[in-house]
Amino acid sequence: MKTFNIFVIGCQMNKSDSERIRGYLELHGLTEIDNPNQADFVILVTCGVRQSAEDRIFGLIPNWRANNKNLKIVLTGCLALREDVKDKLTGKIDVWLPIYDLPLLGNALGLKKQLDDNYDSLTYLSFEPHYKSNFSAFLPIGNGCNNFCSYCVVPYARGREVCRPYQDILSEAESLIKKGFKEIILIAQNVNSYKSSKDNGEIVDFADLVKMVDQIEGDWWLRFSTSHPKDMSEKLIKTIADGRHTCQYFHFAAQSGDDKILELMNRRYTAKHYLDLVDKIRHYSPEAMISTDIIVGFPGETDKQFNNSKKLMEAARFDMVYISQYSPRPGTVSARLEDDVSKEIKRHRETELNDILRKTALENNQKYLGRIVKVLVDEVEKTKADLLEASGKSADFKSVKFTVADKGLIGQFVLVKITKVREFAIYGEFEQ
Ligand code: SF4
């Protein structure tokens, strides 16, 4: 029996793609194993968002080749369409697979076809995923992006935005809830530009889609990721605030607090627009957790412009910020600008933003003291003191940790009384 191993680098979309690839290969009778050195095929799901992620693959491939002479390597993900990567890896990859070509993989690997006659006309999202988790699932609602932020490779790597029909999304969500999943995360590069249409021509936007999925009965949570501030509508904010299963957690990337830098990034909103959205979220959903992404050291970013990012962070009082130092990505518009902010200044700016984040996150977390919160447990581990520590997320995406008696709670909702808070986690006692 032939075997495969999947090695995933990068974002939730890559993780979700890997689940579809797993389902697809199992349909062909292959078995997944943990060790790439013993597998017939390794599927490498790559990320090109940062140089460090890209560099990893150049170290992995020669190692696998040295340890496993008969191995076939399939490269998919964000680097599968990059000509410069193809040049660097000439002769080292057996199949270059843009993810939308997944239906062709069986032929490319010489696998026996075990699927029906429609097979060649299927899109990659038609294949049923084999989820890693049995309680939390990423559910893609589309793929690709039309926004062309000047620093981002995604529109080149994944192509233009394609949205799944809302009926397919609904039936996948229903099937997951029926199977007992407790959490569904709707994902796309930009969920809130989602559009589908009904038979009568009526448009279904992302808020409509959320409302439809939210109708599914059961004890489960609905999340989404990630959203662009220019497309974040009041209708969506209200829909999330009013939903029965919708978690009060909004992640939407600010990237900078300076209007000139935002313009150079081609983000198409201002710092004021972003902060107005934060106010709207807090108006409709006062308890919501808000997180963002910020890039420091974009080409030409002056001290004054960086200070505007600090001001935005102070005003928005985020619970979490994913801060990254700018690095040029080949083929993007900003790669043509001089990367003129030194490494040292980028590091320093990242530290300054982290200091603001620690302060606001800790202050925000004070409100949890003494509260009882519902938590979906995703891990139970032994501590150094030989106790079992469970960790999971609350509906508003706080990391919650507490001591338990056994491992059986993974994938379950529990109640935890919060007794201690830190910047990035809250701690408590198991109630039930
Ligand atoms: S919205 Fe911008 S940053 Fe996000 S995937 Fe699209 S181009 Fe990239």
Side-chain angles (χ1 to χ4, degrees):
M1 183 176 294
K2 298 268 187 203
T3 58
F4 67 95
N5 172 271
I6 305 185
F7 195 96
V8 193
I9 302 172
C11 65
Q12 54 204 10
M13 191 53 96
N14 276 6
K15 286 181 191 139
S16 169
D17 285 350
S18 74
E19 294 177 332
R20 261 166 229 274
I21 296 169
R22 179 179 300 113
Y24 175 90
L25 292 176
E26 286 172 351
L27 266 181
H28 282 80
L30 270 63
T31 304
E32 185 175 27
I33 60 171
D34 291 336
N35 188 348
N37 296 325
Q38 288 168 1
D40 294 295
F41 309 108
V42 167
I43 320 299
L44 178 53
V45 189
T46 59
C47 169
V49 169
R50 290 192 227 309
Q51 189 59 45
S52 53
E54 203 172 308
D55 290 344
R56 272 185 83 189
I57 68 160
F58 296 107
L60 287 167
I61 292 165
N63 259 334
W64 290 334
R65 288 268 177 235
N67 292 327
N68 185 348
K69 299 287 178 220
N70 298 319
L71 178 66
K72 285 201 162 155
I73 300 179
V74 177
L75 188 147
T76 184
C78 283
L79 301 183
L81 287 169
R82 280 255 307 274
E83 291 305 322
D84 58 318
V85 176
K86 285 188 180 170
D87 290 345
K88 279 190 211 161
L89 291 173
T90 307
K92 295 181 179 137
I93 299 296
D94 297 284
V95 181
W96 293 87
L97 182 81
I99 189 63
Y100 46 75
D101 281 345
L102 180 63
L104 308 177
L105 182 60
N107 279 345
L109 294 178
L111 302 176
K112 209 167 127 229
K113 201 158 154 179
Q114 298 191 349
L115 306 166
D116 65 30
D117 291 341
N118 267 336
Y119 170 79
D120 290 332
S121 63
L122 292 175
T123 70
Y124 94 96
L125 287 170
S126 335
F127 290 97
E128 197 175 331
H130 175 162
Y131 297 101
K132 262 278 172 205
S133 161
N134 57 9
F135 59 90
S136 174
F138 291 122
L139 202 174
I141 64 168
N143 187 27
C145 184
N146 297 340
N147 285 322
F148 289 91
C149 300
S150 66
Y151 52 83
C152 180
V153 285
V154 167
Y156 310 97
R158 285 191 170 261
R160 298 304 97 82
E161 182 180 55
V162 179
C163 297
R164 283 179 91 183
Y166 74 93
Q167 299 92 329
D168 292 6
I169 298 165
L170 272 178
S171 76
E172 198 166 322
E174 275 161 7
S175 139
L176 286 164
I177 304 301
K178 214 179 265 169
K179 285 180 191 150
F181 276 73
K182 299 281 194 306
E183 179 179 69
I184 291 181
I185 308 152
L186 303 177
I187 58 166
Q189 268 74 34
N190 177 20
V191 286
N192 47 14
S193 60
Y194 175 85
K195 294 261 178 311
S196 176
S197 51
K198 293 187 178 169
D199 291 341
N200 62 6
E202 205 181 301
I203 296 294
V204 175
D205 66 14
F206 185 58
D208 301 326
L209 178 72
V210 167
K211 219 177 240 175
M212 288 175 181
V213 178
D214 191 46
Q215 301 298 317
I216 304 171
E217 293 298 332
D219 187 15
W220 61 279
W221 284 348
L222 178 58
R223 301 189 187 279
F224 63 100
S225 177
T226 178
S227 358
H228 194 300
K230 79 176 168 54
D231 300 315
M232 176 79 84
S233 65
E234 190 158 349
K235 176 180 169 189
L236 175 62
I237 294 170
K238 245 181 119 336
T239 303
I240 302 293
D242 296 343
R244 291 185 304 156
H245 303 98
T246 47
C247 292
Q248 303 306 302
Y249 169 51
F250 292 79
H251 176 85
F252 62 122
Q255 303 298 17
S256 170
D258 183 81
D259 290 346
K260 181 68 200 164
I261 295 290
L262 286 171
E263 195 186 320
L264 287 171
M265 288 176 165
N266 193 29
R267 293 290 286 173
R268 288 172 277 167
Y269 54 85
T270 60
K272 179 175 179 319
H273 174 79
Y274 187 92
L275 289 173
D276 286 348
L277 288 171
V278 170
D279 285 347
K280 272 189 192 134
I281 292 169
R282 297 226 159 100
H283 170 74
Y284 288 112
S285 180
E287 298 280 299
M289 167 166 162
I290 303 178
S291 66
T292 198
D293 300 332
I294 291 194
I295 297 172
V296 292
F298 189 81
E301 187 188 62
T302 62
D303 285 344
K304 198 167 163 223
Q305 289 169 327
F306 168 67
N307 277 335
N308 286 334
S309 290
K310 284 169 66 178
K311 282 184 197 155
L312 179 125
M313 274 190 57
E314 279 155 356
R317 306 190 52 75
F318 293 111
D319 294 272
M320 180 52 80
V321 182
Y322 302 93
I323 304 162
S324 56
Q325 297 176 21
Y326 173 80
S327 71
R329 309 310 306 126
T332 59
V333 170
S334 74
R336 290 185 230 137
L337 302 171
E338 193 190 343
D339 183 15
D340 56 357
V341 180
S342 71
K343 260 254 148 232
E344 197 189 337
I345 292 178
K346 285 176 186 165
R347 251 197 311 267
H348 186 71
R349 288 180 181 173
E350 182 178 352
T351 307
E352 278 194 67
L353 294 191
N354 263 318
D355 290 344
I356 297 170
L357 170 64
R358 284 180 185 285
K359 189 167 173 292
T360 55
L362 184 59
E363 284 167 5
N364 291 349
N365 283 351
Q366 299 300 328
K367 68 177 182 219
Y368 291 94
L369 280 171
R371 283 191 189 176
I372 292 176
V373 297
K374 185 172 174 178
V375 177
L376 178 56
V377 180
D378 52 32
E379 213 174 35
V380 177
E381 279 186 332
K382 235 185 196 155
T383 65
K384 281 184 194 146
D386 229 15
L387 296 169
L388 282 179
E389 186 181 66
S391 50
K393 291 278 192 284
S394 62
D396 52 6
F397 212 59
K398 287 286 167 191
S399 289
V400 185
K401 294 179 187 294
F402 53 100
T403 304
V404 287
D406 66 79
K407 290 196 170 193
L409 295 176
I410 295 176
Q412 303 297 317
F413 284 126
V414 298
L415 296 177
V416 178
K417 182 165 186 186
I418 303 305
T419 53
K420 186 173 90 178
V421 298
R422 293 275 182 264
E423 295 94 330
F424 305 126
I426 57 180
Y427 299 79
E429 287 160 8
F430 176 63
E431 283 270 307
Q432 67 177 70

